[in-house]
Amino acid sequence: MEVDVRSLSHSRHMVVRGWAGAALCGVVLLVAHLGLGIGGGRLDRPIDQWLADGLELFAAVGCGLRAAWIRRERAAWTVLGLSVLSFGVGDVLFDFVYGGNAPTPSAADPFYLAFYPGCYVALLLLVKSRISSFNRSVWLDGLIASLGTATVGAAVLFQVVLAHTSGHSVTVAVGLAYPLADIVLLGLTVFAFAVTRWRPGRDWASLGAALIMIMAADTIYLMLSANGSYSEGTLLDALWPMGLLLLAAAGWHRRDREHAIDLEGRLLGAAPIAFGLAALAVLMGDHLIRHLNPLAVWLAGATVTTVFVRTALSVGENTRLLGRARALSLTDVLSGLGNRRKLLHDLERELGRERPSAFVLVILDLNGFKGYNDRFGHPSGDTLLARLSAKLEAAFAGRATTYRLGGDEFCVLASLAENDPEAVIDAALTALTDEGEGFAITASCGAAMLPDEADDPPGALRVADERLYAHKALLYRSRGRSEDALTHVLTEHDRDAHHARQVAELAASLGARLNLSEEAIVELRLVAELHDIGKLAIPDEVLQKPGPLSSDEWDFIRRHTTVGERILAGAPAFRTIAKLVRSTHERWDGTGYPDALAGTAIPDAARIVTICDAFTAMTNPRPYRGLIAATEAIGELRRCAGTQFDPFLVEEFCRMILAQGSPSLPPAAAPPSIGGPSRA
């Protein structure tokens, strides 16, 4: 017998081993006499009564030592020790007071029957102590197992005892109390095994085997007594002392690891289904074969009902788990915001409607986050991301959906029925801004208007990503790191690598000719360089199309000024430039786009860039036509003066171009329509 005495002192260690050795010797002697007849009849009384009863009391001593010397589970083993002691006292009364032939009821019966409630309490205390965690599903699985076992016991054992029990009501009550107590004990034992998922370990296996041995002895005794065939001095009498000693020994087995059980959401296992079928068989037997006792029928009904409850609980738990798993699959773990999958799901839902609502999709990327990570470490970086995520979510609470797409990339999807796109961009950029000692975090952004600029999720993300890339390049340039950064972005997207630079040079020259301030000329140059940044959202097949454009393609082209405005407006330093870029395709007669401005309502810088852009476009080859001579282009500008272009600015521009070859042409006087930098 292996005992767990590692935490005991040497003396107590020796006591436990001595107890185990003595118990083993007593059992061997008892079995040898009762089973093999060793010692003959002269040893019947010393062994059948003295030794057997002594071993039962010795088992109570083993439980008492376990409770006294080991604090853990002390309450359970104290109750169990008292229960074993009560059973042993009952046997002492049975053998030495009644001489092995006690009436029913007798003084021994209360001591015998007290054993069972003590076992119930001790079992429940041990289950609570040794099973670290389990939920309602596990409890119901154990209840199904215990009820199913009790049903079979009631249909077999209780039925036999009931059929052979008669006499005074007290006699019948005491006679039926034993099978009832055994049925409950069997059910609780099976419950304990069920909640350990039928892998009890050595300690639980020893405990269960001891209780089953005692119940088996009770069952055989009751059935033999009911038939009048029980005789004292057989091997059956050894089962009670052996079971009680095994029960005490279970307290000294080396503890197995506690079971952490979480079966939430699992469907019924094989054991609950088997017990449910057994209960159903009892009900069918009661109806088709013979009427059983009400206890068996009620227990069978309770078992089947519990199986239905367990099934309903499984369905509910699986539904909740599915919802939880789906929510987790759509949620970024670090920030709690929606992830990229959630964004695609929302875009598919909104854009898939028959009449999609208008939305703005804003993708944002942090600037300076890599340096923050390198300096302060990744745990601090995660904390920063969580803080910025909370700010972003709070900024749009109740009016837009926020996402973290991974890394330091975020997104906002806002309905235009409730939000202004510029306000959305401003709020997002503000929320993703943070600074402290040694760091400053800002954000770049790219926006797409849905469904006008894209009608499917990939297209929406592509448009927003391209504008995000352009905005980052713009910020890169605005910080003075490279004068050619944004031009490089435009060049990558537009085959005409020099167009923007040529327009900027002409616009700056015309500004100088008009005696604009140096500040106004710098601003004019920027507007000219960036006036086509919105073309980043136009596919190459449209920009480079050799033939005429369709009406849909023209609609796409006409949106590039508002797109450019949104790209530039993401950087506070370029918001003035953004408004001017928006107006670079307005016409003097009010038929331009996007706002149909007319005359001097069109900003000065936009009117200048419009003329320079048209001249550069005519004098450079295009996929859909060849180049035009400068003189022809001048003629075309003059022809459209007063309709498409500011007539005064056209004349000044033409004089400037012609002056490069004929410097004798006099400049025209500037009318009131041209002002200083405050109007540019």
Side-chain angles (χ1 to χ4, degrees), residues 325-358:
R326 184 174 181 276
L328 288 174
S329 71
L330 299 175
T331 303
D332 175 63
V333 177
L334 176 65
S335 65
L337 303 180
N339 57 17
R340 183 176 290 272
R341 183 178 299 169
K342 176 68 163 57
L343 173 62
L344 292 173
H345 176 270
D346 291 348
L347 288 174
E348 288 174 358
R349 183 187 68 240
E350 297 299 335
L351 295 175
R353 300 181 192 275
E354 185 175 351
R355 292 186 176 179
S357 302

Side-chain angles (χ1 to χ4, degrees), residues 81-208:
L82 292 174
S83 301
V84 173
L85 178 62
S86 179
F87 193 96
V89 170
D91 255 350
V92 169
L93 292 175
F94 184 89
D95 290 331
F96 293 97
V97 174
Y98 297 104
N101 189 21
T104 302
S106 69
D109 288 318
F111 291 96
Y112 284 138
L113 292 174
F115 168 76
Y116 298 97
C119 286
Y120 305 157
V121 173
L123 268 177
L124 293 175
L125 289 174
L126 289 174
V127 167
K128 181 180 178 181
S129 171
R130 299 196 176 193
I131 309 299
S132 60
S133 65
F134 49 84
N135 54 29
R136 292 176 300 173
S137 301
V138 182
W139 276 105
L140 285 175
D141 286 347
L143 183 59
I144 291 169
S146 62
L147 287 174
T149 304
T151 298
V152 176
V156 178
L157 172 62
F158 192 75
Q159 187 74 22
V160 172
V161 175
L162 183 64
H164 293 84
T165 300
S166 61
H168 193 273
S169 59
V170 177
T171 301
V172 173
V174 172
L176 296 179
Y178 285 100
L180 283 174
D182 279 323
I183 289 171
V184 175
L185 184 58
L186 179 62
L188 284 176
T189 304
V190 173
F191 170 81
F193 275 66
V195 297
T196 60
R197 294 181 292 185
W198 307 100
R199 296 194 295 271
R202 289 174 301 172
D203 49 351
W204 272 112
S206 177
L207 192 68

Side-chain angles (χ1 to χ4, degrees), residues 134-444:
F134 49 84
N135 54 29
R136 292 176 300 173
S137 301
V138 182
W139 276 105
L140 285 175
D141 286 347
L143 183 59
I144 291 169
S146 62
L147 287 174
T149 304
T151 298
V152 176
V156 178
L157 172 62
F158 192 75
Q159 187 74 22
V160 172
V161 175
L162 183 64
H164 293 84
T165 300
S166 61
H168 193 273
S169 59
V170 177
T171 301
V172 173
V174 172
L176 296 179
Y178 285 100
L180 283 174
D182 279 323
I183 289 171
V184 175
L185 184 58
L186 179 62
L188 284 176
T189 304
V190 173
F191 170 81
F193 275 66
V195 297
T196 60
R197 294 181 292 185
W198 307 100
R199 296 194 295 271
R202 289 174 301 172
D203 49 351
W204 272 112
S206 177
L207 192 68
L211 294 174
I212 291 173
M213 186 179 294
I214 295 169
M215 287 182 285
D218 287 346
T219 301
I220 297 171
Y221 171 78
L222 290 171
M223 295 181 70
L224 292 176
S225 297
N227 295 327
S229 58
Y230 171 73
S231 61
E232 192 176 5
T234 65
L235 196 58
L236 173 63
D237 295 337
L239 292 181
W240 286 287
M242 290 171 60
L244 294 176
L245 286 170
L246 188 59
L247 191 65
W252 299 102
H253 273 292
R254 185 171 292 121
R255 282 288 306 277
D256 292 320
R257 187 179 61 184
E258 293 182 353
H259 299 278
I261 301 175
D262 185 7
L263 300 182
E264 183 178 4
R266 286 182 53 180
L267 294 177
L268 291 178
I273 292 176
F275 287 115
L277 291 175
L280 187 60
V282 169
L283 289 174
M284 295 177 64
D286 174 73
H287 181 71
L288 300 175
I289 302 175
R290 55 176 293 187
H291 289 296
L292 299 174
N293 60 84
L295 177 63
V297 175
W298 279 99
L299 285 172
T303 303
V304 174
T305 301
T306 309
V307 170
F308 287 141
V309 173
R310 176 66 175 89
T311 304
L313 181 64
S314 292
V315 172
E317 287 179 344
N318 279 319
T319 301
R320 288 193 297 273
L321 284 175
L322 181 62
R324 190 184 308 167
R326 184 174 181 276
L328 288 174
S329 71
L330 299 175
T331 303
D332 175 63
V333 177
L334 176 65
S335 65
L337 303 180
N339 57 17
R340 183 176 290 272
R341 183 178 299 169
K342 176 68 163 57
L343 173 62
L344 292 173
H345 176 270
D346 291 348
L347 288 174
E348 288 174 358
R349 183 187 68 240
E350 297 299 335
L351 295 175
R353 300 181 192 275
E354 185 175 351
R355 292 186 176 179
S357 302
F359 279 81
V360 58
L361 171 69
V362 184
I363 295 181
L364 304 110
D365 189 80
L366 299 183
N367 302 315
F369 181 71
K370 182 180 183 303
Y372 184 94
N373 257 348
D374 293 342
R375 180 170 183 179
F376 299 103
H378 290 283
S380 296
D382 289 345
T383 302
L384 175 65
L385 288 175
R387 184 167 69 249
L388 294 176
S389 299
K391 289 175 60 180
L392 184 66
E393 184 176 26
F396 293 98
R399 62 190 185 96
T401 309
T402 53
Y403 310 84
R404 177 173 175 252
L405 306 185
D408 58 351
E409 192 173 18
F410 296 84
C411 181
V412 178
L413 184 64
S415 170
L416 292 182
E418 304 173 4
N419 300 278
D420 176 71
E422 300 300 332
V424 170
I425 293 173
D426 287 343
L429 292 173
T430 301
L432 295 181
T433 300
D434 198 4
E435 62 180 330
E437 186 176 352
F439 76 93
I441 301 296
T442 59
S444 302

